[in-house]
């Protein structure tokens, strides 16, 4: 049986000097070399995993140059005010031609023009010969007491039916929207409105019907 030669033994002097740590000191553990930081790894003090910071808002567009003023509404193009015939007062009269279906809109435009010109809201009373003005219908849904309390306060424009004009106090400006047939009661209320108006009476409606109700020469 052949003999296996033994591995040659390397003498300790050939292995290099052995470093012996000093007494009471532990040999330092080598630190691993950090590799490149991945995108998913947040930086210290910068928490990750949260929502991304929103981008700054886009710059707001500059406002467009002002558009030229629109043509004046029908109320502004109405004939110049004049004295009421045989009214016995200094009130002026202004007729704004309008169909029955557009009389309320014409009256609303007249109210806006008066307010824009500086007229106090409490100076204006708006009457309708047909259906209630939408504002009046809304306010009446809370009860007549609250509705008429606003009239008595006298600090805002008030809307009522011409048939109830006798319950309304006189105001400087009365606007009548002829949004229905001018029956005898409405014609009488229209004639009464010209006596109640202290400064100006504006009637929005069909000129022929208005002239017939107020008399020739209006």
């Amino acid at each position: 049986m052949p003999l296996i030669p033994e591995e040659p033994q390397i003498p300790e002097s050939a292995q290099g000097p052995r470093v012996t740590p000093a007494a009471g000191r532990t040999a330092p553990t080598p630190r691993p070399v950090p590799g490149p930081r991945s995108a998913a790894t947040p930086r210290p003090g910068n928490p990750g995993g949260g929502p991304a910071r929103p981008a700054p808002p886009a710059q707001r567009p500059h406002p467009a140059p002002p558009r030229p003023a629109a043509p004046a509404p029908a109320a502004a193009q109405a004939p110049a005010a004049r004295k009421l015939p045989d009214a016995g007062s200094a009130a002026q009269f202004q007729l704004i031609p309008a169909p029955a279906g557009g009389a309320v809109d014409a009256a609303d435009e007249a109210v806006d023009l008066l307010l824009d010109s500086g007229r106090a809201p409490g100076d204006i009373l708006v009457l309708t010969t047909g259906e209630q003005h939408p504002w009046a219908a809304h306010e009446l849904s809370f009860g007549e007491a609250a509705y008429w309390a606003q009239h008595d306060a006298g600090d805002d424009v008030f809307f009522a039916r011409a048939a109830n004009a006798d319950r309304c106090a006189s105001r400087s400006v009365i606007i009548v929207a002829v949004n229905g047939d001018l029956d005898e009661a409405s014609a009488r209320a229209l004639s009464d409105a010209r006596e109640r108006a202290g400064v100006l009476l504006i009637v929005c409606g069909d000129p022929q019907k208005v002239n017939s109700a107020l008399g020739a020469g209006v």
Side-chain angles (χ1 to χ4, degrees):
M1 186 172 183
L3 297 176
I4 299 175
E6 295 181 358
E7 278 185 274
Q9 299 293 325
I10 301 175
E12 291 184 3
S13 59
Q15 295 180 5
R18 176 176 297 177
V19 179
T20 304
R25 176 179 297 179
T26 306
T29 305
R31 295 184 178 180
V33 178
R37 187 184 304 275
S38 65
T41 306
R43 293 184 177 182
N46 188 16
R53 183 187 297 273
Q59 185 178 5
R60 298 181 61 183
H62 294 288
R67 299 176 60 186
Q77 301 174 357
R82 60 181 183 274
K83 289 186 177 181
L84 290 168
D86 302 326
S89 68
Q92 302 294 306
F93 173 78
Q94 189 173 1
L95 173 62
I96 301 177
V104 170
D105 290 338
D108 287 342
E109 290 182 0
V111 170
D112 291 340
L113 288 173
L114 289 167
L115 296 177
D116 290 343
S117 67
R119 176 68 63 178
D123 289 347
I124 305 173
L125 171 66
V126 180
L127 303 175
T128 55
T129 62
E131 294 182 356
Q132 287 275 18
H133 188 280
W135 181 92
H138 175 265
E139 295 300 320
L140 280 169
S141 65
F142 299 102
E144 287 203 9
Y147 168 74
W148 287 106
Q150 297 186 59
H151 165 268
D152 297 339
D155 56 2
D156 204 352
V157 182
F158 191 75
F159 300 82
R161 291 194 63 186
N164 298 326
D166 56 344
R167 295 188 60 178
C168 299
S170 299
R171 296 202 178 189
S172 298
V173 180
I174 296 181
I175 303 175
V176 181
V178 185
N179 61 332
D181 293 334
L182 269 175
D183 54 17
E184 184 178 353
S186 297
R188 186 166 54 251
L190 185 58
S191 298
D192 183 61
R194 68 180 182 178
E195 298 177 3
R196 291 175 174 270
V199 176
L200 176 65
L201 170 65
I202 300 176
V203 180
C204 307
D206 182 89
Q208 292 184 349
K209 294 182 179 180
V210 174
N211 289 344
S212 177
L214 292 180
V218 175

